[in-house]
Amino acid sequence: MLWCFHHIIMDGWCFSIILKDFKYFYDKLHNGVSKEKLVEEIKGDNSGTQSYARYLKWHSEQDKEEGLAYWDTYLKDYQSDVDIIPLGIAEKTAEQVMTQNFYVSQELCERIQKISKEQKITISTYLEATWGILLQKYNRLDDVVFGKVVSGRNADIRNINEIVGLFINTIPVRAKVNEETTIKELLDNMMYDSIESTSYIYNSLADIQECTDLGKNLIKTLFVFENYYVDKEAYNNEIEGFDIKMESAREQTNYGISFKASFTNDGFMNTQDNALELSIMYNPSLYCEKE
């Protein structure tokens, strides 16, 4: 059995939920429980569970104008054209996306965790600032914007983390400095903005981009920090005669370059345990490994 689903149906958060339920029902059927009994059990379980429709209702009730007013202020006077221009000529290829993976050493990972704790910021904010500084240096600008993927599960809905559906959104992140700005100030500012913007992540990126003269050119690179909950029990092969494995996985965005960070501690892929993995996803028709 091969599973394939489009991202418009559900996000990565949902996969372990789906897999755990699938294994539960498979085991029940394997041990002789009738389909009819399972249907009744599911109805009983769902009676106390919120549906994706409840989230859609919540989303429709949010003040879109208030949110756009926030983003308009956040992006005020921003005019920079920030991109990573290819240095060479890419070879022709049928591939639509390629990835370069890097693992942060245990020593450096511990230093990042220590600094983040001391500065009272998240590791995500630390890495966002790092990506922002890189874009500043590369573009020789002191004010840059890039996109960040957010989980979207901040709605005040009971057990929202157990709902299956598409919640993620992309919002702009601004890294602005001057000659006197310290690293601590940059980290504090970006952490503050991250907390404040959480109340307005329901606005679509298309609408947010219309707040600026740049429009769809506002964002040209994407940052992703994957830290959603993974139910390890869902990946354990506990059913006799039943085996599941990840043969391959493929991700793609519409951006030329996307920067992703994640802790590889789910035990599902053949990766270093509990390591910080950094990935650069890029369009091979634009970029190549060699100059």
Side-chain angles (χ1 to χ4, degrees):
M1 178 183 291
L2 301 178
W3 287 11
C4 181
F5 59 88
H6 196 283
H7 221 324
I8 201 171
I9 302 298
M10 66 180 188
D11 50 41
W13 190 300
C14 305
F15 190 72
S16 63
I17 301 173
I18 294 290
L19 181 58
K20 187 175 181 179
D21 283 350
F22 174 82
K23 290 177 63 178
Y24 175 81
F25 298 139
Y26 181 95
D27 189 40
K28 288 282 188 178
L29 292 170
H30 182 71
N31 288 302
V33 178
S34 68
K35 175 184 174 182
E36 290 72 22
K37 286 186 177 180
L38 275 182
V39 170
E40 290 301 316
E41 181 180 340
I42 293 170
K43 288 181 179 179
D45 290 342
N46 287 347
S47 63
T49 303
Q50 297 286 0
S51 67
Y52 187 64
R54 174 67 185 88
Y55 167 74
L56 293 179
K57 183 176 185 298
W58 173 89
H59 191 274
S60 67
E61 295 170 348
Q62 301 311 297
D63 190 335
K64 304 300 192 300
E65 294 303 318
E66 180 183 349
L68 290 177
Y70 166 80
W71 291 113
D72 182 61
T73 301
Y74 181 70
L75 297 168
K76 185 178 180 180
D77 299 327
Y78 181 77
Q79 298 292 334
S80 302
D81 184 12
V82 176
D83 201 356
I84 296 181
I85 306 301
L87 297 178
I89 300 176
E91 298 179 0
K92 292 184 178 180
T93 175
E95 296 291 336
Q96 295 183 342
V97 63
M98 297 186 73
T99 304
Q100 289 287 336
N101 297 320
F102 311 90
Y103 290 98
V104 175
S105 68
Q106 185 66 32
E107 179 183 359
L108 180 55
C109 186
E110 290 176 355
R111 288 174 60 190
I112 292 174
Q113 292 173 321
K114 180 180 179 182
I115 293 173
S116 299
K117 184 176 181 180
E118 290 175 346
Q119 299 300 321
K120 298 180 180 180
I121 62 172
T122 63
I123 294 178
S124 177
T125 300
Y126 181 99
L127 296 174
E128 288 170 37
T130 303
W131 186 246
I133 292 172
L134 176 65
L135 292 176
Q136 289 172 351
K137 297 297 183 181
Y138 194 88
N139 289 272
R140 298 181 179 180
L141 294 168
D142 58 9
D143 190 8
V144 301
V145 165
F146 56 91
K148 177 177 74 169
V149 176
V150 292
S151 71
R153 293 177 182 260
N154 64 315
D156 186 19
I157 299 175
R158 181 170 52 87
N159 298 328
I160 189 173
N161 292 341
E162 299 176 8
I163 301 177
V164 173
L166 179 64
F167 292 84
I168 62 171
N169 191 20
T170 298
I171 61 172
V173 174
R174 189 172 185 176
K176 185 177 181 180
V177 299
N178 56 45
E179 294 181 354
E180 299 178 353
T181 304
T182 65
I183 291 294
K184 185 181 186 310
E185 289 173 337
L186 176 62
L187 292 173
D188 287 344
N189 291 339
M190 294 187 70
M191 187 66 197
Y192 174 82
D193 291 341
S194 179
I195 295 172
E196 189 174 31
S197 66
T198 300
S199 299
Y200 306 103
I201 62 175
Y202 51 78
N203 287 110
S204 71
L205 178 59
D207 289 341
I208 294 173
Q209 290 177 144
E210 290 303 313
C211 293
T212 72
D213 295 333
L214 294 169
K216 65 180 181 180
N217 291 318
L218 172 68
I219 292 174
K220 294 184 178 179
T221 65
L222 188 67
F223 172 87
V224 184
F225 184 68
E226 291 189 347
N227 64 338
Y228 51 77
Y229 172 71
V230 175
D231 190 336
K232 294 182 180 180
E233 183 181 342
Y235 299 104
N236 294 330
N237 295 325
E238 301 171 339
I239 304 175
E240 183 179 355
F242 181 91
D243 183 50
I244 184 169
K245 65 178 180 178
M246 175 73 81
E247 182 66 26
S248 63
R250 179 177 177 273
E251 294 180 278
Q252 183 178 351
T253 74
N254 60 300
Y255 297 96
I257 285 186
S258 299
F259 173 64
K260 184 178 75 171
S262 61
F263 282 99
T264 57
N265 59 354
D266 54 34
F268 195 46
M269 298 290 285
N270 295 322
T271 55
Q272 299 181 33
D273 186 43
N274 203 30
L276 179 59
E277 181 181 9
L278 307 179
S279 302
I280 300 291
M281 294 187 294
Y282 63 95
N283 182 347
S285 65
L286 298 176
Y287 304 95
C288 54
E289 294 185 25
K290 299 180 181 180
E291 294 186 11

